[in-house]
Amino acid sequence: MSLDTKLRKLREQKGWSQMDVAHQLDISQSAYNKWEAGQAKPTLQNLQRLAEIFEADFYELIQEQIPNLDLSNAKFENSPFFVTESTNNTISYDSPELISKILENQQQMAKLMESQNKLIEHLLKK
């Protein structure tokens, strides 16, 4: 199912109008309408906020956008970075290097998002 269809279905399940969702995201209704119409795509930050307000799984929301991405643990079973879920619903890591790599990746993603936002702001000013 495409992102635009998922957004429409999630919104309708909540009984919200496009204006209701747009207001929660602090964007215009027409901008949100373009997402549901498939004419534009939300930023990563807005995708995260959509998952939060719709109480939806972020990965399921974007899965169609990245169909070749396999996030299952199967391919990591013989890796020192294998992630397991314990019985008390906390995640344990078999390697301290993994935590370091995750933190490093988060910092890089934050920098990329900041650059993306600056680029969008620059383009909007034109």
Side-chain angles (χ1 to χ4, degrees):
M1 183 184 315
S2 65
L3 177 62
D4 52 345
T5 303
K6 287 179 187 178
L7 292 176
R8 182 183 48 78
K9 286 189 175 201
L10 287 167
R11 178 181 56 78
E12 289 172 349
Q13 286 173 356
K14 293 284 188 180
W16 295 339
S17 68
Q18 288 185 349
M19 183 60 91
D20 294 331
V21 177
H23 179 73
Q24 292 183 62
L25 295 169
D26 197 28
I27 62 171
S28 69
Q29 183 273 333
S30 62
Y32 180 79
N33 176 271
K34 288 180 182 178
W35 299 347
E36 279 195 15
Q39 297 172 344
K41 300 284 185 206
T43 63
L44 181 59
Q45 183 178 14
N46 280 327
L47 281 168
Q48 291 171 325
R49 293 179 66 204
L50 284 164
E52 289 172 12
I53 67 170
F54 287 135
E55 299 173 343
D57 180 73
F58 178 76
Y59 175 69
E60 287 179 18
L61 191 62
I62 65 167
Q63 190 171 11
E64 289 296 317
Q65 312 307 307
I66 47 173
N68 297 325
L69 182 63
D70 180 10
L71 296 179
S72 68
N73 281 335
K75 65 181 181 179
F76 300 109
E77 285 181 357
N78 296 322
S79 165
F81 303 116
F82 179 59
V83 179
T84 57
E85 201 168 319
S86 67
T87 55
N88 63 359
N89 292 330
T90 60
I91 297 177
S92 62
Y93 302 90
D94 290 338
S95 173
E97 292 96 26
L98 178 59
I99 295 172
S100 174
K101 287 288 184 186
I102 289 172
L103 293 173
E104 184 179 311
N105 286 344
Q106 285 179 331
Q107 290 172 346
Q108 290 174 353
M109 288 180 358
K111 288 178 184 177
L112 285 172
M113 288 175 62
E114 185 177 327
S115 295
Q116 178 188 19
N117 288 338
K118 287 180 182 178
L119 176 61
I120 291 170
E121 287 174 8
H122 176 74
L123 292 172
L124 290 174
K125 288 179 183 177
K126 286 188 173 186

